[in-house]
Amino acid sequence: MAPNQPSILTEKEALTTRLSTNETLDSPTTSNKIDSSHPSTDTDSDSECSLEQEPVYNEDGEIQEGVGGDLQALSQQVSRNPVLSRLATNRTGISIATNGTSDPGFEIDFEENDTSDPRNWPFWYRATVIFFISYSTLTVVMYSTSYTSAIPGIKSSFGIKSDTVPVLGITTYMIGLALGSIILAPMSEMMGRRPIYLVAMAMFGLLIIPCALAQNLETILIARFFGAIAGSAMIGNSPGTVNDIVQEEHRALAFSIWSLGPMNGPVVGPLVGGFVFQYLGWRWTSWIIAISSAVAFVMICLIKETYAPAILRKKAKERRKEMDDERWWSRYDDKVAFWPLLKVNLSRPFVMAVTEPICIFWNIYIALLYSVLYLCFVAYPIVFGGERGWRSGSIGLSYIGIGVGSVIVIACEPLIRKMIDNHKIDPATGKPPPESMVSIVCIAALCVPTGELIFAWTCTPNVHWIVPILAGIPFGAGNCAVFIYSSSYLVHSYGIYAASALAGNAVLRSAMGGTLPLAGPKLYQTLGPHWAGTLLALIEFAMVPIPFIFYRYGHKIRMKSALISSMQEDKERLDAKKRKADERAVRHALRSGNWGQKDKAVEGVVSEKPVGKELEA
């Protein structure tokens, strides 16, 4: 016991005083004295409760002067101590904790097997939510690449002679996705996911219509830019939705199933767009996406809110209104004004992107691969359309190799998970370290340039067309594995700041993915398909050491991160506070365990927090 710990006798006397005065506290006279709306200025629940200084009641139920202070002191002392606070609330019906306090007796939280907890929803409904979210994300990503199939028609309709100018439609869309990700992702954490989804998908669908009716390229570029901002809500927030509704042991499988949509969207876009353009015209490439977005909007309408903090905030608000009692609260109640909080959330991704070594290197690496992937959606029409003379629909089929590679990685998730779990356990967490996921990225990092190099030297008509399509399998598999498991590495490394790390990554990734394709036509025209592809493969090979370095030295790099170190210190501090609070509650409960029926409230604390063997001794 710490030197400043009050004696057992003093604590027992203090608790006995409260138990013996329950009837007195219930009297009208005392109820007027102990007003539940009395302001309290200190809510630090882990502060030591100095019981020698607590008020003592006289025979009339009044507080004795000079033996514990005034009424405000009583409110502060009891609200600091979870045992006494619960005792005061449950035994007398009056909470001495006040409007400004966090009385645990009035906290709104999910109960065990609570059906309002998204993770306790029926399996069929959670599976439906994942499908709806995956389909909606597929629609947004598909729109980014289906545009490439419409480029010949747009050039013909608007009399555009440049091969580079129409590609700006991809650039504006990717920049819109980058901008929208850093705005809508933090807003969903403040307002809930469902409101953002509903507004964003409605705006996304409406902004497709101007593209379908456009009479000039400028209209298309502007509409695609703002449409991408709206559509980014699905890309930025849907991983959070999946995380909201699945248990930790099923998270990897759920993410793999969800990723079937976004990872294959870039392939499905030109595949569908090619046949639509060939048989219906370029404007129908937009109308088809508009129809798909309408279906996605209906799906979103059928999804309930999944973000736990938003659900608990709403429940607490409803309980306060229902009971006409402002003491009901949840731990997620807003404590910071909206605009200052939004400012912090918007600035953090950029700060991390330029100050955190992990973010700097991974952002560059992922952005490079992403930009080469989108360059392929410009290069494939050049190679298969220009060199081999294929029509638009057949050009769309040439992307199947990339899609097959992605599906293979997702289907092999259980095997990949075993490879990750076979790594040495981190003693601090009891789980494999984040670097175990980088081992998968190391393999994928070799697959990407290998597939690109094979494609570069087999894409010309002197080689059978199946070979360059098959080259897309390792290329697609590598890209898919890099995106999934590098994102997982960032999430596990940065914990509560994972959203900011991913948002910064999304900005650079989308920006490069939108700008590098502009160089595609000129690059392939100047160097030819062989050497243009070889140049890209060599750049990717040059970046291969990055994942290997992090696999070998990632732990040391993480420990040198100021942000991660501060997170670790905060975690240790919170754990220590929790242990301290648990021990205090157990000590109070043990020392009052034989006091009869008056101690049920204290015994309730023991039932919530099991007694450790060392405390039992």
Side-chain angles (χ1 to χ4, degrees):
M1 182 179 296
N4 62 346
Q5 181 71 28
S7 66
I8 296 177
L9 180 61
T10 304
E11 292 181 1
K12 184 176 292 188
E13 288 175 348
L15 287 173
T16 306
T17 302
R18 275 139 191 78
L19 292 169
S20 65
T21 56
N22 282 340
E23 294 79 7
T24 306
L25 287 172
D26 285 333
S27 68
T29 303
T30 309
S31 297
N32 291 335
K33 290 180 177 293
I34 305 179
D35 185 2
S36 64
S37 63
H38 193 279
S40 175
T41 59
D42 193 340
T43 62
D44 187 2
S45 61
D46 80 304
S47 300
E48 285 289 348
C49 183
S50 180
L51 294 169
E52 293 93 342
Q53 297 180 0
E54 291 183 22
V56 178
Y57 296 92
N58 60 23
E59 295 179 353
D60 297 324
E62 298 176 345
I63 301 174
Q64 292 184 5
E65 295 294 328
V67 190
D70 57 10
L71 187 61
Q72 184 174 2
L74 172 66
S75 174
Q76 292 177 358
Q77 293 291 340
V78 178
S79 68
R80 288 194 188 106
N81 189 290
V83 178
L84 299 183
S85 178
R86 186 175 299 228
L87 181 64
T89 301
N90 294 345
R91 297 290 296 161
T92 69
I94 301 173
S95 174
I96 299 183
T98 62
N99 289 356
T101 65
S102 299
D103 187 338
F106 289 89
E107 181 181 5
I108 298 295
D109 202 351
F110 294 126
E111 303 293 337
E112 187 176 359
N113 298 321
D114 191 340
T115 55
S116 64
D117 184 350
R119 295 184 178 180
N120 291 329
W121 289 347
F123 174 80
W124 68 267
Y125 185 75
R126 287 182 290 146
T128 302
V129 170
I130 292 176
F131 171 74
F132 285 175
I133 293 296
S134 181
Y135 176 82
S136 302
T137 312
L138 168 70
T139 300
V140 174
V141 178
M142 186 169 64
Y143 190 40
S144 68
T145 56
S146 63
Y147 172 83
T148 59
S149 301
I151 287 178
I154 292 173
K155 290 174 62 178
S156 176
S157 297
F158 301 147
I160 301 174
K161 299 185 182 300
S162 171
D163 291 329
T164 302
V165 172
V167 181
L168 286 170
I170 298 177
T171 303
T172 55
Y173 193 85
M174 300 304 293
I175 293 176
L177 289 179
L179 181 61
S181 296
I182 62 174
I183 297 175
L184 298 182
M187 286 187 67
S188 74
E189 296 179 355
M190 291 182 282
M191 303 173 63
R193 308 205 193 279
R194 191 170 187 270
I196 300 297
Y197 284 152
L198 290 174
V199 175
M201 282 307 296
M203 294 301 299
F204 176 76
L206 292 174
L207 287 167
I208 297 174
I209 298 176
C211 294
L213 302 175
Q215 298 302 313
N216 53 62
L217 181 62
E218 290 80 0
T219 302
I220 294 177
L221 299 182
I222 294 172
R224 281 178 63 84
F225 172 74
F226 287 104
I229 293 178
S232 66
M234 299 308 308
I235 297 176
N237 298 331
S238 52
T241 298
V242 176
N243 185 61
D244 292 339
I245 64 175
V246 298
Q247 301 293 342
E248 184 174 357
E249 60 268 24
H250 302 132
R251 187 178 299 160
L253 179 60
F255 271 108
S256 296
I257 295 173
W258 164 79
S259 64
L260 283 170
M263 295 308 301
N264 285 287
V267 176
V268 176
L271 177 61
V272 173
F275 283 104
V276 170
F277 169 65
Q278 183 175 329
Y279 293 104
L280 298 176
W282 70 268
R283 294 186 185 275
W284 271 96
T285 60
S286 294
W287 287 121
I288 291 295
I289 302 297
I291 295 171
S292 180
S293 67
V295 175
F297 179 77
V298 173
M299 291 179 173
I300 294 298
C301 291
L302 299 176
I303 297 176
K304 297 185 291 186
E305 178 60 65
T306 65
Y307 191 47
I311 295 173
L312 292 176
R313 283 196 296 260
K314 183 179 179 181
K315 290 179 68 174
K317 182 178 180 181
E318 291 175 349
R319 184 66 62 86
R320 287 193 294 267
K321 183 177 180 180
E322 176 186 349
M323 306 297 293
D324 193 23
D325 190 340
E326 293 298 318
R327 288 173 294 180
W328 293 101
W329 63 283
S330 80
R331 62 182 178 274
Y332 300 109
D333 286 343
D334 296 328
K335 299 178 180 63
V336 182
F338 176 82
W339 291 111
L341 184 60
L342 182 62
K343 181 180 178 181
V344 171
N345 286 339
L346 291 180
S347 61
R348 187 183 293 124
F350 296 102
V351 174
M352 292 177 63
V354 297
T355 59
E356 288 292 311
I358 296 175
C359 291
I360 292 173
F361 286 102
W362 281 107
N363 287 355
I364 294 174
Y365 180 64
I366 297 174
L368 176 67
L369 295 188
Y370 203 72
S371 59
V372 173
L373 175 64
Y374 269 81
L375 181 58
C376 286
F377 298 109
V378 177
Y380 271 50
I382 295 174
V383 170
F384 290 100
E387 296 286 334
R388 295 179 182 266
W390 289 12
R391 300 183 68 184
S392 299
S394 300
I395 294 174
L397 291 172
S398 65
Y399 297 96
I400 287 180
I402 299 176
V404 170
S406 300
V407 172
I408 290 175
V409 169
I410 295 169
C412 291
E413 196 281 330
L415 177 61
I416 294 174
R417 182 56 47 186
K418 288 183 179 179
M419 294 174 60
I420 293 174
D421 292 340
N422 284 335
H423 283 75
K424 186 179 179 181
I425 300 298
D426 185 352
T429 62
K431 300 177 182 178
E435 286 71 33
S436 61
M437 300 175 189
V438 182
S439 63
I440 309 302
V441 180
C442 291
I443 300 173
L446 296 173
C447 292
V448 174
T450 301
E452 178 68 31
L453 197 59
I454 295 173
F455 174 82
W457 290 96
T458 61
C459 63
T460 48
N462 60 308
V463 180
H464 194 278
W465 54 267
I466 194 63
V467 180
I469 292 178
L470 292 176
I473 294 178
F475 180 78
N479 275 286
C480 181
V482 167
F483 296 146
I484 291 176
Y485 294 101
S486 62
S487 297
S488 297
Y489 177 69
L490 291 175
V491 168
H492 283 76
S493 296
Y494 285 103
I496 59 173
Y497 298 116
S500 296
L502 294 176
N505 180 272
V507 171
L508 184 59
R509 182 184 70 203
S510 298
M512 288 189 65
T515 53
L516 189 58
L518 292 173
K522 192 67 174 178
L523 178 67
Y524 273 80
Q525 180 183 348
T526 305
L527 300 180
H530 292 324
W531 289 106
T534 301
L535 175 63
L536 297 175
L538 290 176
I539 295 174
E540 290 169 335
F541 271 121
M543 305 298 288
V544 165
I546 290 178
F548 282 90
I549 291 173
F550 275 90
Y551 180 63
R552 179 67 178 84
Y553 302 104
H555 176 73
K556 295 180 179 180
I557 297 174
R558 283 190 291 115
M559 291 302 99
K560 291 183 178 180
S561 166
L563 183 60
I564 295 176
S565 297
S566 66
M567 285 169 48
Q568 187 68 23
E569 292 172 0
D570 289 342
K571 182 178 182 300
E572 292 173 356
R573 190 181 303 114
L574 289 173
D575 290 344
K577 286 183 178 180
K578 184 178 179 181
R579 288 194 300 269
K580 193 175 182 181
D582 289 349
E583 291 172 2
R584 281 203 310 271
V586 170
R587 282 198 298 269
H588 283 300
L590 287 174
R591 289 160 186 165
S592 58
N594 59 350
W595 291 0
Q597 296 297 321
K598 291 185 178 183
D599 300 304
K600 289 183 179 179
V602 178
E603 292 173 1
V605 178
V606 180
S607 65
E608 292 177 6
K609 300 172 182 178
V611 180
K613 292 183 179 179
E614 68 282 358
L615 290 176
E616 288 182 90

